């Protein structure tokens, strides 16, 4: 095992307190704060949500309603206040295909599931702006739900087009941002629209994301750990660099480890590697050592003779990889070593799997880490945060989604927040 340890950090014992609420989320108006400031009865509230759900091959059946369920708390709260809720979302990648010719990407499949979850009728429109939409929204009588058509039928959505922003702004007096997964993008429906609203607030989902993720970054209970995995170093360099400033320990897993091993001069066989980032990996290890941060690489790996679940496999120390063998998971010794480190930390952020978890023969490392985080949450009261699509999928696949402190709904947004970046969809909200 390769790691850098400071004597001071070794002596730190974990606290059992949770981190405090994040200042960032507290200074932005949230949905309850909005209801205290203004009377929402009969008012139109445009709510940006994430309805980008997966569909079966029939393009009709929703196969995972996680994002739909996330819409419910904010929507029901607003309905209870007597507000009309106008839901707004992107869906798929229609590439700016205009409404009249758009064949795919319509939000029709989510209507019935939403009605079942909300327990009320959802009226879907065939556009998201224009005279007809304005007329329809002006006739809402109170505590009604209306769903606009996919905002990305307009190419201007991703360009933060002023015409679309203003068009959306004509539909309501107030705006609630509750789509954390798109908060890192300055789009018409996330940032531009706020310029045309009396007040803009964070919904329950967004507020929770900010409290956990920004709280972990700005005011964690020490010791703090980051577990960073995934296939490529290139996608995680900024977040690793940022986390070096905040963490006591960083565990590295996934395909990216082989770029670090090559930087250490080891044979990596046929394992994936980003040759242009070998020096960057070396620099990260050097920086960690200088800062007294434990940056820990796996000591052993599960090897395969081909990229296939039915491949021949073997467990080897990282100094014993050779030939055409490739590493596809962390090994059993590493799992035990990671457990010891996780047991010492009180705030843990995980982004990226430990191996090719989609293949059952190379999922043990990822599943083990998921279980460790669940145990740390339940047994020690640790704050455990899982972000990134693959990590979230792995935790849910293991049936442990409800046993960690928080599962983030935004991959890119999670990473950018952990990197310390300002999210346009958050910065645009009204001050509390």
């Amino acid at each position: 095992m390769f790691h850098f340890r400071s004597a001071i950090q070794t002596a730190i014992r974990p606290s059992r307190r949770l981190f405090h609420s994040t200042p960032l989320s507290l200074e932005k108006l949230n949905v309850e704060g909005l209801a205290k400031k203004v009377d929402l009865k009969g008012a139109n509230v445009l709510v940006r949500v994430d309805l980008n759900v997966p569909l079966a091959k029939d393009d009709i059946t929703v196969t995972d309603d996680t994002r739909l369920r996330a819409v419910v708390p904010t929507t029901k709260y607003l309905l209870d206040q007597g507000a009309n809720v106008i839901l707004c979302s992107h869906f798929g990648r229609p590439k700016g295909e205009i409404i009249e010719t758009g064949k795919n990407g319509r939000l029709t499949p989510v209507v019935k599931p939403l009605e079942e979850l909300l327990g009320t009728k959802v009226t879907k429109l065939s556009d998201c702006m224009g005279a007809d939409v304005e007329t329809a929204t002006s006739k809402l009588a109170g505590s009604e739900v209306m769903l606009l058509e996919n905002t990305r039928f307009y190419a201007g959505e991703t360009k933060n087009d002023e015409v679309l922003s203003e068009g959306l702004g004509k539909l309501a007096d107030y705006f609630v941002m509750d789509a954390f997964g798109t908060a890192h993008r300055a789009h018409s429906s996330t940032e531009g629209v706020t310029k045309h609203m009396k007040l803009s607030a964070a919904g329950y989902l967004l507020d929770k994301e900010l409290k956990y993720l920004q709280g972990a970054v700005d005011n964690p209970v020490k010791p703090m750990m980051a577990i960073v995995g995934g296939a490529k170093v290139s996608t995680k360099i900024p977040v690793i660099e940022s986390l070096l400033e905040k963490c006591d320990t960083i565990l590295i897993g996934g395909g990216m480890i082989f770029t670090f091993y090559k930087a250490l001069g080891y044979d990596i066989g046929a394992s994936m590697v980003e040759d242009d980032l070998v020096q960057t990996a070396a620099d990260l290890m050097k920086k960690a050592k200088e800062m007294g941060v434990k940056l820990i690489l796996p000591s052993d790996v599960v090897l395969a003779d081909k990229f296939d679940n039915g491949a021949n496999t073997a467990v080897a120390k990282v100094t014993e990889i050779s030939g055409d063998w490739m590493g596809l998971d962390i090994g059993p010794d590493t799992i035990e070593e990671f457990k010891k480190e996780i047991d010492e930390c009180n705030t843990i952020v995980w982004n990226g799997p430990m191996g090719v978890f989609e293949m059952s023969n190379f999922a043990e490392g990822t599943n083990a880490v998921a279980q460790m985080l669940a145990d740390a949450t339940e047994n020690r009261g640790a704050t455990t945060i899982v972000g990134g699509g693959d990590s979230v999928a792995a935790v849910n696949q293991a049936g442990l989604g409800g046993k960690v402190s928080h599962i983030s709904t935004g991959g890119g947004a999670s990473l950018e927040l952990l990197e310390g970046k300002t999210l346009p969809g958050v910065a645009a909200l009204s001050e509390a």
Side-chain angles (χ1 to χ4, degrees), residues 80 109 113 116 118 139 142 175 190 214 219 232 274 342 360 370 425:
D80 288 343
E116 293 174 356
L118 293 171
K139 294 179 179 179
F175 175 72
T190 62
Q214 195 71 31
N219 198 13
K232 296 182 177 181
E274 291 176 275
I342 288 171
S360 58

Side-chain angles (χ1 to χ4, degrees), residues 163-184:
V163 174
L164 179 55
S165 298
E166 185 178 2
L168 291 169
K170 291 178 180 179
L171 309 180
D173 289 325
Y174 309 108
F175 175 72
V176 171
M177 178 63 177
D178 214 20
F180 177 69
T182 59
H184 62 311

Side-chain angles (χ1 to χ4, degrees), residues 9-80:
Q9 287 164 338
T10 304
I12 296 175
R13 303 309 303 168
S15 162
R16 301 181 74 87
R17 295 180 296 109
L18 294 177
F19 59 77
H20 304 294
S21 296
T22 163
L24 176 62
S25 67
L26 293 180
E27 68 186 28
K28 292 298 180 182
L29 186 66
N30 61 28
V31 66
E32 291 186 11
L34 175 64
K36 291 177 181 177
K37 279 181 176 286
V38 296
D39 183 4
L40 292 176
K41 188 173 183 179
N44 283 3
V45 181
L46 181 68
V47 184
R48 179 51 161 99
V49 291
D50 185 357
L51 303 178
N52 194 26
V53 296
L55 299 178
K57 291 182 180 180
D58 61 8
D59 288 328
I60 296 175
T61 307
V62 175
T63 57
D64 183 350
D65 69 350
T66 301
R67 287 175 174 168
L68 302 186
R69 285 185 280 110
V71 171
V72 174
T74 296
T75 302
K76 281 196 169 183
Y77 177 79
L78 290 169
L79 292 175
D80 288 343

